[in-house]
Amino acid sequence: MTDILMPKATAVWLVENTSLTFDQIAAFCGLHPLEVRGIADGDVARDIRGADPLVNGQLTREELDRAQADEAYRMKAVVSRHAEMMKPGKPAPKYTPVSRRQDRPDAILWFVKNHPEVTDAQISKLLGTTKSTIESVRNRTHWNSPNIKPVDPVTLGLVGQLVLDDLIRKAADKKARDDAKAGGPTLQAAAEAPAEPEFVPDAAEPRRAQPTAESVFGPRDGS
């Protein structure tokens, strides 16, 4: 998309007053070529009055003449001061109501105890606090440390559940990637169990002779 003002109105004027191709007009106005064709056919922007880009200072005559002489040429818009002013600025820093600011240390302690994988920068951005405050809560040097209790930020009304879940998931994924890059703990091979001695049956004792009366009662007298 270009930064010209009133792109459709500009396209209407270019369709009606120049010999530019639909592709050239679309590229200059930040529109789709089919949309420009619709303007030419009267199906699109039929109630829009054309805006002359030469008059409002968004296009020079030299650029227009060059483009009309070469269908492959794409015109370059003159940067408008008004267009620069209309660009969206950076989002404002997260604001926490005064009534909720006293709850932030509780939320910080909840992160410290339950989700150490979440970085201080992520906590700071989510809760609108400072890294020094996070550090003081972690080290129990905060001025209100005796009264700080870990409470999740959703319960405190500081963030929504979906936002919290997304942050924790991203932090866990990053930690897993960092651990993988660092090698991570490796499992050691289990020690081989000592081999059991082979079972060898005891040698069979030689079979003794059947007992006799002599061996049991002794020799008879006179024998």
Side-chain angles (χ1 to χ4, degrees), residues 182-218:
T186 56
L187 296 177
Q188 297 180 353
E192 296 183 359
E196 295 184 0
E198 182 180 359
F199 174 74
V200 178
D202 295 336
E205 295 182 358
R207 191 172 182 179
R208 298 179 180 178
Q210 291 294 331
T212 62
E214 185 177 357
S215 63
V216 176
F217 300 107

